[in-house]
Amino acid sequence: MALKQATRGAQPVMSAEFDFSFNDTMKDVNGVTKTFGSVYTDAGVFDAINLPLGAVVVGGELIVETAGVGPTVYTAAIGHSGSATAFLAATDLKTAGRTALTGLGLASNDGKNLRITIASTAANATAGKFRVRVNYTIDGRITEVNPN
C-alpha cells in the first residue's frame, strides 16, 4: 500500500473553441467537403477540435449565437470517433442559447478529437452561427508548484 501525500502541483485548464456558420464548409471525416447546414442532405461529421493524448474534458458548451433557420430538424451532436454523442446528444440549433457539455471525464483520454455531427431535414439552412468550446486538462501535467 502506497503512502499518499498532498498534491503539490497543478495545471491551468485549457480551452479550445471552434466557431462555424450554417454556410461554412469543412472536409468531413471521409475527406468530402460539406456545409454545416446550407445543404441539408450533407449530414456532415467533422473533427473540429484536436485534443491531445491524455486530455480529460472538464467542461465546455455549444453556443447558438444566431438561431438556425430553414430546416425542420437542425441539430448538432458532439462526441468523438468512438461515440458521436460522448459529450452532447443531438441538440437543437434553431434556438439561440447555451447548452453545457454533459459527457465529462475520461471520454477523450486516448487522444480522440472532438467531433461535431450536423443533421438537418427537409430544407437548407439560411441562417445560423454557432460555437463549440471545450475545456480540458492533460493527465500527468504539472505547470505550477505549490510548495507550502
Side-chain angles (χ1 to χ4, degrees), residues 91-105:
T91 301
D92 186 28
L93 297 176
K94 298 187 315 296
T95 304
R98 175 195 174 276
T99 304
L101 299 186
T102 56
L104 308 179

Side-chain angles (χ1 to χ4, degrees), residues 4-94:
K4 303 301 271 183
Q5 297 189 29
T7 298
R8 300 259 183 230
Q11 66 175 293
V13 173
M14 291 171 276
S15 185
E17 186 173 284
F18 181 79
D19 66 329
F20 58 100
S21 295
F22 73 101
N23 59 350
D24 288 336
T25 60
M26 186 173 175
K27 288 190 178 181
D28 74 356
V29 296
N30 297 311
V32 178
T33 301
K34 294 186 176 183
T35 70
F36 287 90
S38 63
V39 178
Y40 80 91
T41 56
D42 276 350
V45 179
F46 309 97
D47 282 339
I49 297 176
N50 294 338
L51 293 175
L53 185 65
V56 177
V57 176
V58 297
E61 58 204 346
L62 167 65
I63 301 169
V64 178
E65 295 179 16
T66 303
V69 174
T72 305
V73 173
Y74 192 21
T75 63
I78 302 171
H80 52 65
S81 62
S83 170
T85 59
F87 301 117
L88 188 64
T91 301
D92 186 28
L93 297 176
K94 298 187 315 296

